[in-house]
């Protein structure tokens, strides 16, 4: 699996309107597909988890995953996923059954103030999950906090500013302390089909906000799948990876480029101070980082 080129290059502006092929992870003969038993349990079947699940199913994996609504359960069951309802009042037996079968586990669900929701309810079942060969935890680059646009690698000190990033730091530690073969993947903003700058421009929700010196890093959802697949093929328990493009750019520049690709007039440029961003949106501008991804280019997973 060629992760280095995809991870570094998927966000080049000339490729923004071309989504990577669905075959990126699910290609027959992929080294991540050669274990005798392939059972993935995805805790949190959201945008990234569902995309990865589809790739695994295409490649012949048995996939189990948690969902939180009857609509999601019906939709993903129809696609071939063994769905487990995971709500506050749902029985734990189905999730325990999934863990008993799983050879691989991917955790995408966000933590709460009390920590990781899976560990809160299934920690003992995880300890008894004797078949697990690989565990992946999707975290956020927000754990690094604000470094004023300076370069950040996996050794950079964690100094989270937001409450959600502080939760992620705690959840990362919880998972690493389990003694399971855990791998941490720190992600920036995710884009892909029906999500990202192009979609915002199409729907009229794009904003052009100027904050001097501020840059964002991004990652395509299929590049995340590429890195996960490569890690499964060459596991290194305890590893932490920044899974981000290494071409950060100011948000208003990305919006301008997306408008150019679609032949649409850019929205007006406004200063950060005068913008109508939501509190959540404004929080993303409180931190600026130049993410580096050299580790996924130099380790055997590439």
């Amino acid at each position: 699996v060629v992760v280095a080129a995809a991870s570094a290059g998927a966000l080049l502006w000339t490729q923004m309107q071309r989504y990577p092929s669905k075959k990126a992870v699910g290609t027959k003969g992929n080294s991540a597909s050669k274990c005798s038993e392939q059972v993935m349990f995805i805790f949190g079947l959201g945008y990234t988890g569902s995309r990865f699940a589809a790739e695994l199913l295409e490649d012949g994996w048995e996939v189990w995953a948690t969902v939180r609504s009857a609509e999601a359960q019906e939709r993903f069951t129809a696609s071939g996923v063994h769905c487990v309802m995971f709500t506050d009042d749902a029985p734990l037996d189905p999730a325990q059954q999934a863990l008993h079968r799983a050879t691989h586990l991917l955790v995408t669900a966000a933590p709460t103030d009390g920590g990781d929701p899976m560990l809160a309810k299934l920690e003992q079942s995880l300890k008894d999950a004797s078949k697990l060969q690989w565990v992946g935890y999707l975290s956020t680059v927000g754990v690094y906090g604000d470094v004023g646009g300076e370069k950040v690698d996996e050794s950079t000190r964690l100094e989270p500013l937001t409450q959600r990033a502080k939760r992620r730091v705690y959840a990362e530690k919880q998972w690493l302390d389990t003694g399971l073969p855990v791998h941490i993947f720190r992600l920036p903003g995710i884009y892909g089909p029906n999500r990202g700058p192009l979609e915002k421009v199409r729907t009229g929700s794009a904003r052009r906000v100027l904050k001097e010196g501020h840059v964002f890093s991004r990652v395509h959802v299929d590049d995340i799948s590429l890195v996960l697949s490569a890690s499964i093929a060459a596991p290194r328990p305890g590893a932490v990876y920044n899974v981000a493009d290494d071409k950060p750019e100011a948000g208003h520049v990305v919006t301008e480029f997306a408008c150019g690709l679609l032949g649409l007039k850019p929205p007006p440029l406004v200063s950060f101070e005068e913008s109508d961003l939501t509190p959540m949106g404004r929080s993303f501008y409180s931190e600026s980082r130049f993410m580096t991804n050299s580790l996924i280019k130099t380790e055997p997973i590439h």
Side-chain angles (χ1 to χ4, degrees), residues 69-258:
S69 71
E71 182 277 329
Q73 185 174 36
E74 180 178 359
R75 175 161 48 95
F76 289 118
T77 297
S79 72
V81 177
H82 300 275
C83 290
V84 174
M85 189 66 71
F86 198 88
T87 58
D88 291 340
D89 55 356
L92 294 178
D93 288 352
Q96 291 168 338
Q97 178 187 0
L99 279 175
H100 178 72
R101 289 193 54 75
T103 57
H104 298 74
L105 169 66
L106 177 65
V107 182
T108 74
T112 66
D113 286 337
D116 185 86
M118 186 175 193
L119 290 175
K121 290 190 175 184
L122 296 169
E123 186 167 11
Q124 186 55 52
S125 298
L126 279 161
K127 292 178 180 178
D128 296 336
S130 59
K131 296 181 181 180
L132 279 180
Q133 305 166 16
W134 179 92
V135 176
Y137 181 77
L138 300 190
S139 186
T140 171
V141 296
V143 298
Y144 297 112
D146 179 36
V147 295
E150 295 298 315
K151 289 189 176 181
V152 169
D153 63 20
E154 291 82 356
S155 66
T156 300
R157 182 175 177 176
L158 306 186
E159 296 184 346
L161 296 180
T162 65
Q163 186 59 33
R164 62 182 180 274
K166 292 175 182 178
R167 293 188 194 120
R168 287 290 188 182
V169 172
Y170 179 54
E172 284 188 12
K173 184 177 186 305
Q174 281 185 297
W175 278 103
L176 290 170
D177 287 348
T178 61
L180 295 168
V182 173
H183 306 71
I184 304 294
F185 303 92
R186 293 175 178 155
L187 311 177
I190 302 168
Y191 78 100
N194 303 314
R195 176 170 169 171
L198 292 171
E199 189 66 17
K200 289 180 179 179
V201 171
R202 289 190 184 102
T203 60
S205 63
R207 299 287 184 272
R208 255 193 332 146
V209 177
L210 173 63
K211 186 175 182 180
E212 292 294 342
H214 187 276
V215 294
F216 289 106
S217 291
R218 298 161 184 82
V219 65
H220 192 287
V221 64
D222 285 345
D223 281 345
I224 299 172
S225 292
L226 279 168
V227 173
L228 295 176
S229 181
S231 174
I232 289 170
R236 183 169 71 85
V240 177
Y241 301 103
N242 290 335
V243 186
D245 70 310
D246 51 7
K247 295 187 179 295
E249 185 55 89
H252 70 278
V253 173
V254 177
T255 299
E256 290 166 10
F257 191 86

